[in-house]
Amino acid sequence: MIKRAIFSGTRLKADFHSPINFSTASSTGQPFQSLANLPTCIASLQECAHHKNLTRGKQLHSYMFINGFLYSPLSTTSLINMYSKCNRIADALSVFNASTHDQNVFAYNAIIAGFIANELPKPAFEFYCRMRFAGVVPDKFTFPSVTKACSDILEVLEVRKIHGLLFKFGLEFDLFIGSALVHSYLKFALMEEAQEVFEELPVRDVVLWNAMINGHAQIGQFDMALEVFRGMGEDGVVPSRFTVTGVLSVFSVLGDLNNGKAMHGFVVKMGYDSGVAVLNALIDMYGKCKCVVDALEIFDMMDEKDIVSWNSIICVHEQCGDHDGTLELFDRMLNAGVQPDLVTITTVLPACSHLAALMHGREIHGYMIINGLGKDSYDVYVNNAIMDLYAKCGCMREAHLVFDKMSYKDVASWNIMIMGYGMHGFGNDALDMFSRMIEAQLKPDEVTFVGVLSACSHAGIVSQGHEFLAQMQLKYGVVPTIEHYTCVIDMLGRAGQLEEAYKLVSSMPIEANPVVWRAFLAACRLHGNEPLAEVAAQQIFELEPEHCGSYVLMSNVYGAVGRYEEVLEVRDIMRQQNVRKTPGCSWIELGNGVHVFVTGDRTHPEDYFIYAGLNSLTARVSEHGFVPDV
DNA sequence: CTATTGACTA
């Protein structure tokens, strides 16, 4: 029953006919004249597997068929292996089903490994079950693949079962199985179990050390990863390319440029700088350490770039806030004929969101839909990125559509919706989202409350905003940070409760920063409270004397109350200290391009029409009673 | 006489 249920689907294509063309042997039979015996055939098949030479592999298959070399355990295994390595798992399955597999552990090992190599962990595990069910005794070649399969399908219980079985079969000291077990346990963050397996093994090779180092690195145990790395050195084991990539990822997260550079030196010394993965890890490390130039240098030098190389260099630019650079590189990638994947898209979308380049973002969303990316994978990252794009661009209806379709939502998904509604003035929708989030049993984080509080601020929901600040720590265990206080001060200020806001600035448990003071100052000016405005401006001036904005603020505050002598004084200090006001700029997306406007810049090709339009707009706005603050 | 383990990007 179990067999039928699981394998009925695969049986269909499993009949040993067709994808393999037997006529080739007679037509091109010549090259095989010398292959008089089975070992020679098997050696040739291994060559084919290694070089992914499917054509010659098929020819060998037919030759072996004609000469009666099939149906031996050896030929079966080699053929399955060859087809698997050539990514022809269906053909591998045909060979398996044609063999007398029920007595053959070799065939099972080969087909299980074949599924793993073709990233099909579920069928791999099912074949292991089928093997046990048929009474075939697994050996030391079975367990590494099966352990990997179990961890890939997130069956931690099965990993434990295999661990137990090892003692029964006397395989507990096998290095291959041990490495796979360490890897699997660490994937589930079971550090004690991994440690136990590691320590039980009498001999430790570089693969086992790497499983420990990289496993800890991937679950965020960076100190532990580095400690194991040191242990490996003390043990006299020479780091391999796999060690290097794992350790570099740790230096990358920690922003440890010195050790990263040292590792780069080691890479060159060992000649590891010819591998793509190592170079990708170096790009990432330099990028995270803010050395964009070094990252680019490595990227440009690489003659063999893969999708990870492109994603890494794009990510380097995006994380440095260079959104234009991100989109430029994305364009270069497409022109180079490299297909973007989910990682590319989740990296590029925030650049579109930040530039409010809605059309670019929409195009990418369209690309995803057409290519079925993110359709069967319920990738919360990419869906969040799309929601954020629409939310930041003010398309809340579209953002909500994506949100509703997501089968799995995390805190960020809710935060994006709350922030989006709040940002565009729909305070009540934002608060509604927050209640629904609580109902859905999600635990709000500090970002949630920034969204909630800024929503209250923009919609003028003062009393509730106050309430949230008071309750966030008590009820939800989130300690208010300076950002939260800024939101509330901004909210009180906008509502004209300046005294209240000032009281909060002076009484909050955190030191006020220029952002807080600027929010407060803006409120003072809005409500014409000059004395408090001067206090705020003074504070900003003291905290950031080198910032051009501080001078402008001071001079504006004095200007507003007619203290022109002080205005001149401030301007004088600016001139003396050579402080320049950075020009303001804004941008708009039109058709295929983003048009940037800088204050005082009249170099746009359609300058005349733009300013004519602008003047008529200004006139219409004034007609409606708007008086600009000059 | 086969075969099996470990890596980089959001």
Side-chain angles (χ1 to χ4, degrees):
Chain A
M1 277 298 281
I2 294 167
K3 268 197 208 171
R4 286 274 294 282
I6 298 174
F7 301 107
S8 55
T10 37
R11 280 254 185 224
L12 271 179
K13 4 178 181 163
D15 288 330
F16 186 58
H17 297 315
S18 61
I20 298 138
N21 180 2
F22 286 92
S23 65
T24 41
S26 40
S27 57
T28 53
Q30 294 303 334
F32 304 118
Q33 289 298 314
S34 58
L35 300 178
N37 53 39
L38 188 54
T40 329
C41 281
I42 286 165
S44 297
L45 274 176
Q46 280 172 326
E47 280 277 297
C48 295
H50 188 251
H51 295 106
K52 298 200 170 196
N53 187 346
L54 181 65
T55 320
R56 183 162 163 83
K58 276 186 177 177
Q59 288 173 353
L60 279 163
H61 188 180
S62 37
Y63 173 83
M64 288 162 76
F65 175 77
I66 289 163
N67 290 278
F69 287 164
L70 287 185
Y71 310 119
S72 80
L74 283 77
S75 58
T76 307
T77 310
S78 307
L79 279 168
I80 292 173
N81 187 36
M82 185 275 295
Y83 281 123
S84 306
K85 291 271 160 66
C86 294
N87 301 315
R88 297 296 288 261
I89 192 68
D91 292 336
L93 201 56
S94 307
V95 177
F96 177 85
N97 284 326
S99 75
T100 51
H101 50 264
D102 279 356
Q103 298 93 49
N104 186 357
V105 65
F106 296 124
Y108 272 109
N109 288 349
I111 198 72
I112 291 169
F115 277 116
I116 289 291
N118 286 270
E119 289 171 342
L120 294 163
K122 220 176 153 79
F125 180 68
E126 286 165 358
F127 266 79
Y128 167 72
C129 297
R130 179 172 163 184
M131 172 186 188
R132 301 299 312 276
F133 189 75
V136 178
V137 180
D139 65 4
K140 63 174 183 167
F141 294 104
T142 319
F143 287 115
S145 310
V146 177
T147 309
K148 190 186 165 94
C150 294
S151 64
D152 282 351
I153 57 175
L154 306 175
E155 292 285 358
V156 67
L157 193 65
E158 294 298 336
V159 176
R160 289 188 193 279
K161 275 198 213 163
I162 287 168
H163 191 181
L165 274 176
L166 295 184
F167 298 93
K168 181 177 159 189
F169 290 107
L171 293 169
E172 68 270 34
F173 299 128
D174 188 279
L175 262 177
F176 284 80
I177 305 172
S179 302
L181 265 179
V182 164
H183 170 81
S184 301
Y185 276 137
L186 287 179
K187 187 168 179 167
F188 299 107
L190 297 169
M191 290 168 69
E192 280 171 23
E193 282 85 342
Q195 188 76 34
E196 195 192 308
V197 174
F198 179 80
E199 278 172 4
E200 289 295 309
L201 288 166
V203 187
R204 286 157 202 162
D205 69 351
V206 66
V207 179
L208 180 67
W209 284 102
N210 289 344
M212 277 296 270
I213 295 167
N214 299 332
H216 280 99
Q218 282 188 344
I219 54 171
Q221 296 288 339
F222 306 119
D223 293 340
M224 186 62 188
L226 292 179
E227 201 185 309
V228 179
F229 176 56
R230 275 189 293 272
M232 174 180 166
E234 283 161 19
D235 215 34
V237 177
V238 181
S240 70
R241 289 165 202 265
F242 286 79
T243 325
V244 167
T245 44
V247 174
L248 273 175
S249 79
V250 175
F251 293 150
S252 165
V253 178
L254 300 178
D256 188 343
L257 181 61
N258 285 334
N259 278 315
K261 275 186 174 167
M263 189 54 93
H264 190 176
F266 178 76
V267 163
V268 174
K269 192 178 115 193
M270 299 296 287
Y272 290 166
D273 49 351
S274 55
V276 205
V278 172
L279 294 172
N280 291 344
L282 277 171
I283 290 175
D284 176 61
M285 184 277 295
Y286 278 119
K288 292 276 173 17
C289 295
K290 301 273 171 258
C291 302
V292 185
V293 183
D294 302 73
L296 257 176
E297 200 183 315
I298 296 171
F299 178 79
D300 287 331
M301 271 190 354
M302 288 170 77
D303 29 44
E304 189 201 332
K305 302 177 177 77
D306 66 2
I307 182 80
V308 181
S309 322
W310 284 99
N311 291 346
S312 301
I313 197 70
I314 289 174
C315 177
V316 165
H317 285 75
E318 178 55 24
Q319 290 197 332
C320 291
D322 182 2
H323 310 301
D324 290 312
T326 301
L327 292 183
E328 253 166 57
L329 274 161
F330 180 57
D331 203 45
R332 251 181 82 188
M333 175 180 168
L334 294 179
N335 286 333
V338 182
Q339 291 283 326
D341 66 359
L342 276 180
V343 179
T344 324
I345 288 168
T346 20
T347 316
V348 173
L349 277 173
C352 300
S353 309
H354 282 288
L355 296 170
L358 180 58
M359 296 314 286
H360 275 84
R362 248 190 233 281
E363 237 174 84
I364 294 171
H365 191 187
Y367 177 90
M368 275 180 65
I369 293 168
I370 290 166
N371 291 281
L373 279 171
K375 196 187 170 193
D376 41 14
S377 86
Y378 298 97
D379 197 312
V380 66
Y381 286 101
V382 77
N383 280 317
N384 283 349
I386 289 171
M387 267 168 49
D388 198 39
L389 167 81
Y390 288 129
K392 282 212 167 63
C393 294
C395 312
M396 289 315 293
R397 207 181 60 84
E398 274 147 302
H400 213 131
L401 274 173
V402 177
F403 180 79
D404 282 340
K405 269 202 212 152
M406 284 170 71
S407 52
Y408 171 75
K409 303 175 180 83
D410 66 358
V411 190
S413 323
W414 291 91
N415 290 350
I416 290 163
M417 291 304 288
I418 293 169
M419 306 257 334
Y421 278 124
M423 192 187 290
H424 295 99
F426 306 108
N428 288 316
D429 295 277
L431 295 189
D432 197 46
M433 271 308 213
F434 178 74
S435 338
R436 283 180 51 197
M437 172 182 183
I438 301 303
E439 277 167 33
Q441 310 276 325
L442 265 107
K443 196 180 158 344
D445 62 5
E446 49 273 5
V447 183
T448 317
F449 284 102
V450 171
V452 167
L453 292 171
S454 76
C456 292
S457 171
H458 287 125
I461 315 172
V462 180
S463 61
Q464 278 206 59
H466 233 125
E467 187 95 342
F468 278 123
L469 181 69
Q471 287 204 334
M472 57 185 282
Q473 186 165 7
L474 291 171
K475 207 166 160 185
Y476 305 103
V478 181
V479 183
T481 66
I482 192 81
E483 280 84 15
H484 299 110
Y485 284 106
T486 311
C487 291
V488 177
I489 286 154
D490 181 62
M491 176 185 76
L492 293 168
R494 278 168 198 264
Q497 302 182 14
L498 295 177
E499 295 293 335
E500 197 73 14
Y502 187 67
K503 240 193 264 167
L504 187 54
V505 176
S506 2
S507 70
M508 61 188 196
I510 318 164
E511 192 87 10
N513 65 8
V515 184
V516 170
W517 285 114
R518 263 197 287 275
F520 181 64
L521 175 62
C524 293
R525 296 186 57 208
L526 183 69
H527 293 97
N529 188 328
E530 279 79 24
L532 280 178
E534 197 181 336
V535 173
Q538 204 72 49
Q539 290 288 342
I540 297 169
F541 204 79
E542 273 171 32
L543 288 165
E544 304 189 301
E546 72 293 333
H547 195 279
C548 65
S550 312
Y551 295 86
V552 178
L553 279 176
M554 275 304 264
S555 105
N556 286 350
V557 167
Y558 289 131
V561 283
R563 286 158 65 180
Y564 296 111
E565 276 166 38
E566 273 100 341
V567 172
L568 289 176
E569 211 173 288
V570 174
R571 299 254 158 121
D572 224 42
I573 301 171
M574 272 179 88
R575 230 182 327 259
Q576 276 170 24
Q577 308 209 339
N578 210 13
V579 180
R580 286 265 177 114
K581 185 174 179 289
T582 38
C585 100
S586 72
W587 58 91
I588 183 171
E589 192 190 42
L590 253 185
N592 287 326
V594 174
H595 298 253
V596 181
F597 298 91
V598 182
T599 321
D601 172 31
R602 302 291 298 249
T603 58
H604 194 280
E606 288 173 68
D607 172 82
Y608 175 77
F609 298 101
I610 292 166
Y611 280 91
L614 201 57
N615 286 335
S616 90
L617 259 177
T618 315
R620 281 173 58 191
V621 170
S622 323
E623 270 171 36
H624 285 82
F626 176 77
V627 185
D629 174 24
V630 283

Coordinates of all heavy atoms in Angstrom, one line a residue, chain A residues 463-523:
Chain A
S463 N -4.5 60.9 21.8 CA -4.6 60.2 23.0 C -4.2 58.7 22.9 O -3.5 58.1 23.7 CB -6.1 60.3 23.5 OG -6.9 59.7 22.6
Q464 N -4.6 58.1 21.8 CA -4.2 56.7 21.5 C -2.7 56.5 21.4 O -2.1 55.6 21.8 CB -4.9 56.1 20.3 CG -6.4 55.7 20.6 CD -6.8 54.6 19.6 OE1 -6.1 53.6 19.5 NE2 -7.8 54.9 18.8
G465 N -2.1 57.5 20.7 CA -0.7 57.5 20.6 C 0.0 57.5 21.9 O 0.9 56.7 22.1
H466 N -0.4 58.3 22.8 CA 0.1 58.4 24.1 C 0.0 57.0 24.8 O 0.9 56.5 25.5 CB -0.6 59.5 24.9 CG 0.3 60.4 25.6 ND1 0.2 61.8 25.4 CD2 1.4 60.2 26.4 CE1 1.2 62.4 26.0 NE2 1.9 61.4 26.6
E467 N -1.2 56.5 24.7 CA -1.5 55.2 25.2 C -0.6 54.1 24.8 O 0.0 53.3 25.6 CB -3.0 54.8 24.8 CG -3.5 53.6 25.5 CD -4.4 53.9 26.7 OE1 -4.2 55.1 27.2 OE2 -5.1 53.1 27.1
F468 N -0.3 54.1 23.5 CA 0.6 53.1 22.9 C 2.0 53.2 23.5 O 2.6 52.2 23.8 CB 0.7 53.2 21.4 CG -0.5 52.5 20.7 CD1 -1.3 53.2 19.8 CD2 -0.7 51.2 20.9 CE1 -2.4 52.6 19.2 CE2 -1.8 50.5 20.2 CZ -2.6 51.2 19.4
L469 N 2.5 54.4 23.6 CA 3.8 54.6 24.2 C 3.9 54.1 25.6 O 4.9 53.4 26.0 CB 4.2 56.1 24.2 CG 5.6 56.4 24.7 CD1 6.6 55.9 23.8 CD2 5.8 57.9 25.0
A470 N 2.8 54.3 26.3 CA 2.8 53.8 27.7 C 2.7 52.3 27.8 O 3.3 51.7 28.6 CB 1.6 54.4 28.5
Q471 N 2.0 51.7 26.8 CA 1.7 50.3 26.9 C 2.7 49.4 26.2 O 2.7 48.2 26.5 CB 0.3 50.0 26.3 CG -0.8 50.5 27.2 CD -2.1 49.7 27.0 OE1 -2.3 49.2 25.9 NE2 -3.0 49.7 28.0
M472 N 3.5 50.0 25.3 CA 4.3 49.1 24.5 C 5.2 48.2 25.3 O 5.5 47.0 25.0 CB 5.0 49.8 23.4 CG 5.9 51.0 23.8 SD 6.6 51.9 22.4 CE 7.9 50.8 21.9
Q473 N 5.8 48.8 26.4 CA 6.7 48.0 27.2 C 5.9 47.1 28.2 O 6.2 45.9 28.3 CB 7.6 48.9 28.0 CG 8.6 48.2 28.8 CD 9.8 49.1 29.3 OE1 9.7 50.3 29.1 NE2 10.8 48.5 29.8
L474 N 4.9 47.7 28.8 CA 4.1 46.9 29.8 C 3.4 45.7 29.2 O 3.5 44.6 29.7 CB 3.1 47.8 30.5 CG 3.7 48.9 31.4 CD1 2.6 49.9 31.8 CD2 4.4 48.3 32.6
K475 N 2.7 46.0 28.1 CA 1.8 45.0 27.5 C 2.5 44.1 26.5 O 2.2 42.9 26.4 CB 0.6 45.7 26.9 CG -0.6 44.9 26.8 CD -1.8 45.8 26.5 CE -3.0 45.0 25.9 NZ -4.1 45.9 25.5
Y476 N 3.5 44.7 25.7 CA 4.1 43.9 24.6 C 5.6 43.7 24.8 O 6.2 43.1 23.9 CB 3.8 44.6 23.3 CG 2.3 44.9 23.1 CD1 1.8 46.1 23.2 CD2 1.5 43.8 22.7 CE1 0.4 46.4 23.0 CE2 0.1 44.0 22.4 CZ -0.4 45.3 22.6 OH -1.7 45.5 22.4
G477 N 6.1 44.2 25.9 CA 7.5 44.0 26.2 C 8.5 44.6 25.2 O 9.6 44.1 25.0
V478 N 8.1 45.6 24.5 CA 9.0 46.3 23.6 C 9.5 47.6 24.3 O 8.7 48.5 24.6 CB 8.4 46.6 22.3 CG1 9.3 47.3 21.3 CG2 7.8 45.3 21.7
V479 N 10.8 47.7 24.6 CA 11.3 48.9 25.2 C 11.3 50.1 24.2 O 11.9 50.0 23.2 CB 12.7 48.7 25.8 CG1 13.2 49.9 26.6 CG2 12.7 47.4 26.7
P480 N 10.7 51.2 24.6 CA 10.7 52.4 23.7 C 12.1 52.9 23.4 O 12.9 53.0 24.3 CB 9.9 53.5 24.4 CG 9.2 52.7 25.5 CD 10.0 51.5 25.8
T481 N 12.4 53.2 22.1 CA 13.7 53.7 21.8 C 13.6 55.2 21.4 O 12.4 55.7 21.4 CB 14.3 53.0 20.6 OG1 13.5 53.2 19.4 CG2 14.4 51.5 20.8
I482 N 14.6 55.8 21.0 CA 14.6 57.2 20.6 C 13.6 57.5 19.5 O 12.9 58.5 19.4 CB 16.0 57.7 20.4 CG1 16.1 59.3 20.3 CG2 16.6 57.1 19.1 CD1 16.1 59.9 21.6
E483 N 13.5 56.5 18.6 CA 12.6 56.6 17.4 C 11.2 56.7 17.9 O 10.4 57.5 17.3 CB 12.7 55.4 16.5 CG 13.9 55.5 15.5 CD 15.2 54.9 16.2 OE1 15.1 54.3 17.2 OE2 16.3 55.2 15.6
H484 N 10.8 55.9 18.9 CA 9.5 56.0 19.4 C 9.2 57.3 20.0 O 8.1 57.9 19.8 CB 9.2 54.8 20.4 CG 9.4 53.5 19.8 ND1 10.5 52.7 20.1 CD2 8.7 52.8 18.8 CE1 10.4 51.5 19.4 NE2 9.4 51.6 18.6
Y485 N 10.1 57.8 20.8 CA 9.9 59.1 21.5 C 9.8 60.2 20.4 O 9.0 61.1 20.5 CB 11.0 59.4 22.5 CG 10.9 58.6 23.7 CD1 11.7 57.5 24.0 CD2 9.9 58.9 24.7 CE1 11.6 56.8 25.2 CE2 9.8 58.2 25.8 CZ 10.6 57.1 26.1 OH 10.5 56.4 27.2
T486 N 10.6 60.1 19.4 CA 10.5 61.1 18.3 C 9.1 61.1 17.7 O 8.5 62.2 17.5 CB 11.5 60.7 17.2 OG1 12.8 60.5 17.8 CG2 11.6 61.9 16.2
C487 N 8.5 59.9 17.5 CA 7.2 59.9 16.9 C 6.2 60.6 17.8 O 5.3 61.4 17.3 CB 6.7 58.4 16.7 SG 7.6 57.5 15.5
V488 N 6.3 60.3 19.1 CA 5.3 60.9 20.0 C 5.5 62.4 20.2 O 4.5 63.2 20.2 CB 5.4 60.2 21.4 CG1 4.4 60.8 22.4 CG2 5.1 58.7 21.2
I489 N 6.8 62.8 20.2 CA 7.0 64.3 20.3 C 6.5 65.0 19.1 O 5.9 66.0 19.1 CB 8.5 64.5 20.5 CG1 8.9 64.1 22.0 CG2 8.9 65.9 20.3 CD1 10.3 63.7 22.2
D490 N 6.8 64.3 17.9 CA 6.2 64.8 16.7 C 4.7 64.9 16.7 O 4.1 65.9 16.3 CB 6.7 63.9 15.5 CG 6.2 64.4 14.2 OD1 6.7 65.5 13.8 OD2 5.5 63.7 13.5
M491 N 4.1 63.9 17.2 CA 2.6 63.9 17.3 C 2.1 65.0 18.2 O 1.2 65.7 17.8 CB 2.2 62.5 17.9 CG 0.7 62.3 18.1 SD 0.4 60.8 18.9 CE 0.9 61.1 20.5
L492 N 2.7 65.1 19.4 CA 2.2 66.2 20.3 C 2.5 67.5 19.7 O 1.6 68.4 19.8 CB 3.0 66.0 21.7 CG 2.7 64.8 22.5 CD1 3.7 64.6 23.6 CD2 1.2 64.9 23.0
G493 N 3.6 67.7 19.1 CA 4.0 69.0 18.5 C 3.0 69.4 17.4 O 2.5 70.5 17.4
R494 N 2.7 68.4 16.5 CA 1.7 68.7 15.4 C 0.4 69.1 16.0 O -0.3 70.0 15.4 CB 1.5 67.4 14.6 CG 2.5 67.2 13.5 CD 2.4 65.8 13.0 NE 3.6 65.4 12.3 CZ 3.8 65.5 11.0 NH1 2.8 66.0 10.2 NH2 4.9 65.1 10.4
A495 N 0.0 68.5 17.1 CA -1.3 68.8 17.7 C -1.3 70.1 18.5 O -2.3 70.5 19.2 CB -1.8 67.6 18.6
G496 N -0.1 70.7 18.6 CA 0.0 72.0 19.3 C 0.2 71.9 20.8 O 0.2 72.9 21.5
Q497 N 0.4 70.6 21.3 CA 0.7 70.5 22.7 C 2.2 70.6 23.0 O 2.9 69.6 23.3 CB 0.2 69.1 23.2 CG -1.3 68.9 22.9 CD -1.8 67.6 23.4 OE1 -1.2 66.9 24.2 NE2 -3.0 67.2 22.9
L498 N 2.7 71.8 22.8 CA 4.1 72.0 22.8 C 4.7 71.8 24.2 O 5.8 71.3 24.4 CB 4.5 73.4 22.3 CG 4.1 73.6 20.8 CD1 4.4 75.1 20.4 CD2 4.9 72.7 20.0
E499 N 4.0 72.3 25.2 CA 4.5 72.2 26.6 C 4.6 70.7 26.9 O 5.6 70.2 27.5 CB 3.5 72.8 27.6 CG 3.5 74.4 27.4 CD 4.8 75.1 27.8 OE1 5.5 74.5 28.6 OE2 5.0 76.2 27.3
E500 N 3.6 70.0 26.6 CA 3.5 68.5 26.8 C 4.7 67.8 26.1 O 5.4 67.0 26.7 CB 2.2 68.0 26.2 CG 1.8 66.6 26.7 CD 1.3 66.6 28.1 OE1 1.0 67.7 28.7 OE2 1.2 65.5 28.7
A501 N 5.0 68.2 24.9 CA 6.1 67.7 24.1 C 7.4 68.0 24.8 O 8.3 67.1 24.9 CB 6.1 68.2 22.7
Y502 N 7.5 69.2 25.2 CA 8.8 69.6 25.8 C 9.0 68.9 27.1 O 10.2 68.5 27.4 CB 8.8 71.2 26.1 CG 10.1 71.7 26.6 CD1 11.2 71.7 25.7 CD2 10.2 72.1 27.9 CE1 12.4 72.2 26.2 CE2 11.5 72.6 28.3 CZ 12.6 72.6 27.5 OH 13.8 73.1 27.9
K503 N 8.0 68.6 27.8 CA 8.1 67.9 29.1 C 8.6 66.5 28.8 O 9.5 65.9 29.5 CB 6.7 67.8 29.7 CG 6.6 68.4 31.1 CD 5.4 68.0 31.9 CE 4.3 69.0 31.7 NZ 2.9 68.6 32.1
L504 N 8.1 65.9 27.7 CA 8.5 64.5 27.3 C 10.0 64.5 26.9 O 10.7 63.6 27.3 CB 7.6 64.0 26.2 CG 7.8 62.5 25.8 CD1 7.7 61.6 27.0 CD2 6.9 62.1 24.7
V505 N 10.4 65.5 26.1 CA 11.8 65.6 25.7 C 12.7 65.6 26.9 O 13.7 64.9 27.0 CB 12.1 66.8 24.9 CG1 13.5 67.0 24.5 CG2 11.3 66.8 23.6
S506 N 12.3 66.4 28.0 CA 13.2 66.5 29.1 C 13.1 65.4 30.1 O 14.0 65.1 30.8 CB 12.9 67.9 29.8 OG 11.9 68.6 29.3
S507 N 11.9 64.7 30.0 CA 11.8 63.6 31.0 C 12.1 62.2 30.5 O 12.2 61.2 31.3 CB 10.3 63.6 31.6 OG 9.4 63.2 30.6
M508 N 12.2 62.0 29.2 CA 12.4 60.7 28.7 C 13.7 60.1 29.1 O 14.7 60.8 29.3 CB 12.3 60.6 27.2 CG 13.3 61.5 26.4 SD 12.8 61.5 24.7 CE 14.3 62.1 24.0
P509 N 13.8 58.8 29.3 CA 15.0 58.1 29.9 C 16.2 58.1 28.9 O 17.3 57.7 29.3 CB 14.5 56.7 30.1 CG 13.3 56.5 29.2 CD 12.7 57.8 29.0
I510 N 16.0 58.5 27.7 CA 17.1 58.5 26.7 C 17.5 60.0 26.4 O 16.6 60.9 26.4 CB 16.7 57.8 25.4 CG1 15.9 56.5 25.7 CG2 17.9 57.5 24.6 CD1 15.2 56.0 24.5
E511 N 18.7 60.2 26.1 CA 19.2 61.5 25.8 C 18.6 61.9 24.4 O 18.5 61.1 23.5 CB 20.7 61.5 25.6 CG 21.4 62.8 25.5 CD 21.8 63.4 26.9 OE1 21.6 62.7 27.9 OE2 22.1 64.5 26.9
A512 N 18.1 63.2 24.3 CA 17.5 63.6 23.0 C 18.6 63.8 22.0 O 19.7 64.1 22.3 CB 16.8 64.9 23.2
N513 N 18.3 63.5 20.7 CA 19.2 63.6 19.7 C 18.7 64.7 18.7 O 17.6 65.2 18.8 CB 19.5 62.3 18.9 CG 18.2 61.8 18.2 OD1 17.2 62.5 18.1 ND2 18.3 60.6 17.8
P514 N 19.5 65.1 17.7 CA 19.1 66.2 16.8 C 17.7 65.9 16.1 O 17.0 66.8 15.8 CB 20.2 66.2 15.8 CG 21.4 65.7 16.5 CD 20.9 64.7 17.4
V515 N 17.4 64.6 15.9 CA 16.2 64.2 15.2 C 15.0 64.7 16.0 O 14.0 65.2 15.5 CB 16.1 62.7 14.9 CG1 14.9 62.4 14.1 CG2 17.4 62.3 14.1
V516 N 15.1 64.4 17.3 CA 14.0 64.7 18.3 C 13.8 66.2 18.3 O 12.7 66.8 18.2 CB 14.4 64.2 19.7 CG1 13.4 64.8 20.7 CG2 14.4 62.7 19.7
W517 N 15.0 66.9 18.4 CA 14.9 68.4 18.5 C 14.4 69.0 17.2 O 13.6 70.0 17.2 CB 16.3 69.0 18.8 CG 16.7 68.8 20.3 CD1 17.7 68.0 20.7 CD2 16.0 69.3 21.4 NE1 17.7 68.0 22.1 CE2 16.7 68.9 22.6 CE3 14.9 70.2 21.6 CZ2 16.4 69.2 23.8 CZ3 14.6 70.6 22.9 CH2 15.3 70.1 24.0
R518 N 14.7 68.4 16.1 CA 14.2 69.0 14.8 C 12.7 68.8 14.7 O 12.0 69.7 14.2 CB 14.9 68.3 13.6 CG 16.1 69.1 13.1 CD 16.5 68.6 11.7 NE 17.1 67.4 11.7 CZ 18.4 67.2 12.0 NH1 19.2 68.3 12.2 NH2 19.0 66.0 12.0
A519 N 12.2 67.6 15.1 CA 10.8 67.4 15.1 C 10.1 68.4 16.0 O 9.0 69.0 15.7 CB 10.4 66.0 15.6
F520 N 10.7 68.6 17.2 CA 10.1 69.6 18.2 C 10.2 71.0 17.6 O 9.2 71.8 17.7 CB 10.9 69.5 19.5 CG 10.4 70.4 20.5 CD1 9.1 70.2 21.1 CD2 11.2 71.4 21.0 CE1 8.6 71.1 22.1 CE2 10.7 72.3 22.0 CZ 9.4 72.1 22.5
L521 N 11.3 71.4 17.0 CA 11.5 72.7 16.4 C 10.4 73.0 15.3 O 9.8 74.0 15.3 CB 12.9 72.8 15.9 CG 13.2 74.1 15.1 CD1 13.1 75.3 16.0 CD2 14.6 74.1 14.5
A522 N 10.2 72.0 14.5 CA 9.3 72.1 13.4 C 7.9 72.4 14.0 O 7.2 73.3 13.5 CB 9.2 70.9 12.6
A523 N 7.6 71.8 15.1 CA 6.3 72.0 15.7 C 6.2 73.4 16.3 O 5.2 74.1 16.2 CB 6.0 71.0 16.8

